[in-house]
Amino acid sequence: MEEAYLKAFLATIARSQAPKETKENETISVSETVSAAASVYENVRNALEYDEEHLLRRNAIRRILKRRFGEEDVISLSSDLLHELIWARYLPNNAVPTKTLDEVAAILRKFQPLFVQAEEAGKNTHHFNLWLLDVLSTEIEYKLSPPLVEEGLVGLVYQNIKSRLEWATSQIKPEDRELQLYVAVHRAVLKSNRATLRYRVFVLYFPDWSKAPTSELVEHVAGRLPQIIETVENQLNHSSGERLLRFCETFAKNIPAISKTFCPTKKDFAKPWPRPRPFVMINSEFEYTAVLFGRLFLSCLPNRFWPYWSSCLLIVW
């Protein structure tokens, strides 16, 4: 089973590295002079508003949409958005296919009924608008630069932990366990921010949304927007989320030289993997003593025995 997931991940890497041929006259082109000025401004702004590097473009998309969404038709907004991103060098010049204009416009169009519904939410209007901007900007980012390798890596780690995990908890409902584990792995592996997680959980509930949603699906989501937002936020705010994250971070660190996936060296893969600690919620002095002795016992084991003890046991009282 694990070998199948690994092969799928390697196939994803190969697919992401496959050359894409695009004729120069079928790409979007902007002035290099304007691009240089815009790039300087964005570099200064990013230095002041520090964030993970892979989130900078999504943040830029969100800023542009927040400033201009609703002021013009979706075709014009799509064109202006892509040109601004190329000017600021978040996208390469003479490389983005012109068909991307229509693809981004389609994404903007399907979100319009949702923003209309958000305007009717009364005191929650501001919160709903910001929530939709997070989801919209992330979907556009995924369209412009599909994170195939990153999401493939998340899937690989998720399946690896899931296959070893034994749940013994009443704090996470059985129907929520796989989703909570996925969110924790996404945070641990990719350091995903709130906006990305909102989009990923939303798409898990509505898998067809990111493909070609029907008008019925768009109407359904718009009509139940308050309930959907509440459901997604409840999952992201789960009381066991942070503890499960720390648990998954142990195993995320067990993947040596992730950043060097495409150019691994023997030295990278020769590094010893850290010993994972069991994830335990302690509610009594007795439990604390049991956990302490358990960890002391595990710490005394020689390294060669650890592969036999590396299965994940989630113990929650």
Side-chain angles (χ1 to χ4, degrees):
M1 182 67 72
E2 291 181 11
E3 184 178 355
Y5 291 127
L6 181 57
K7 288 182 178 179
F9 176 58
L10 295 176
T12 299
I13 295 177
R15 189 167 65 253
S16 68
Q17 294 181 335
K20 299 178 181 179
E21 296 183 2
T22 304
K23 296 181 180 179
E24 187 173 350
N25 60 351
E26 296 178 354
T27 60
I28 302 175
S29 177
V30 301
S31 168
E32 288 292 345
T33 303
V34 176
S35 179
S39 178
V40 171
Y41 169 77
E42 287 295 325
N43 288 335
V44 173
R45 178 161 193 154
N46 292 333
L48 297 176
E49 299 178 2
Y50 174 77
D51 208 336
E52 295 289 337
E53 184 176 354
H54 65 283
L55 300 175
L56 296 179
R57 180 167 49 200
R58 192 213 63 85
N59 293 341
I61 295 172
R62 190 182 188 280
R63 288 196 301 268
I64 297 170
L65 293 176
K66 185 177 181 180
R67 186 176 73 247
R68 310 189 66 161
F69 192 85
E71 295 181 357
E72 51 190 335
D73 62 90
V74 293
I75 297 296
S76 299
L77 178 56
S78 174
S79 176
D80 292 343
L81 172 63
L82 292 177
H83 279 81
E84 285 197 39
L85 292 175
I86 296 173
W87 281 328
R89 296 182 179 174
Y90 288 112
L91 295 173
N93 196 12
N94 295 313
V96 179
T98 54
K99 67 177 183 179
T100 308
L101 291 168
D102 295 329
E103 295 173 346
V104 173
I107 296 175
L108 295 169
R109 187 176 293 109
K110 70 181 179 182
F111 271 86
Q112 285 182 322
L114 278 61
F115 278 96
V116 171
Q117 183 66 32
E119 291 298 324
E120 301 175 0
K123 63 180 182 180
N124 292 322
T125 294
H126 181 67
H127 170 62
F128 286 6
N129 280 329
L130 295 181
W131 194 93
L132 289 173
L133 281 173
D134 281 348
V135 177
L136 172 57
S137 58
T138 304
E139 181 165 349
I140 292 177
E141 161 68 8
Y142 273 47
K143 172 60 68 175
L144 297 178
S145 181
L148 300 178
V149 175
E150 292 83 354
E151 289 294 338
L153 180 60
V154 168
L156 180 65
V157 176
Y158 167 78
Q159 294 294 345
N160 186 274
I161 296 179
K162 179 185 174 183
S163 65
R164 289 174 164 80
L165 189 61
E166 295 181 13
W167 295 87
T169 175
S170 59
Q171 294 194 2
I172 304 179
K173 298 178 181 179
E175 61 269 23
D176 293 336
R177 289 173 183 174
E178 292 189 3
L179 177 55
Q180 285 299 314
L181 177 61
Y182 179 82
V183 170
V185 170
H186 217 283
R187 295 177 64 189
V189 174
L190 300 184
K191 310 300 180 186
S192 301
N193 64 0
R194 188 79 171 189
T196 302
L197 294 173
R198 282 171 171 169
Y199 173 71
R200 292 304 303 158
V201 174
F202 173 72
V203 172
L204 287 176
Y205 279 115
F206 301 98
D208 293 334
W209 180 266
S210 60
K211 302 172 185 177
T214 62
S215 57
E216 290 78 10
L217 177 58
V218 174
E219 292 176 3
H220 173 75
V221 172
R224 296 181 55 82
L225 185 62
Q227 295 90 333
I228 292 172
I229 291 178
E230 181 180 7
T231 299
V232 173
E233 292 302 296
N234 286 342
Q235 292 291 353
L236 297 182
N237 294 328
H238 197 283
S239 58
S240 297
E242 291 300 320
R243 296 180 179 87
L244 190 54
L245 168 63
R246 292 193 293 271
F247 175 76
C248 291
E249 283 177 335
T250 301
F251 293 88
K253 294 176 183 177
N254 285 351
I255 307 174
I258 287 301
S259 61
K260 299 180 180 180
T261 299
F262 306 110
C263 51
T265 64
K266 292 183 179 180
K267 182 179 179 181
D268 294 327
F269 288 93
K271 295 179 181 178
W273 292 11
R275 298 176 174 180
R277 293 183 176 182
F279 169 43
V280 182
M281 296 172 60
I282 302 172
N283 294 328
S284 70
E285 183 177 352
F286 170 78
E287 292 170 10
Y288 176 81
T289 305
V291 171
L292 179 61
F293 275 99
R295 287 182 175 171
L296 286 174
F297 168 72
L298 293 176
S299 66
C300 293
L301 289 175
N303 282 335
R304 65 178 180 275
F305 290 122
W306 265 88
Y308 305 100
W309 292 85
S310 60
S311 61
C312 310
L313 176 61
L314 179 61
I315 307 174
V316 183
W317 284 277

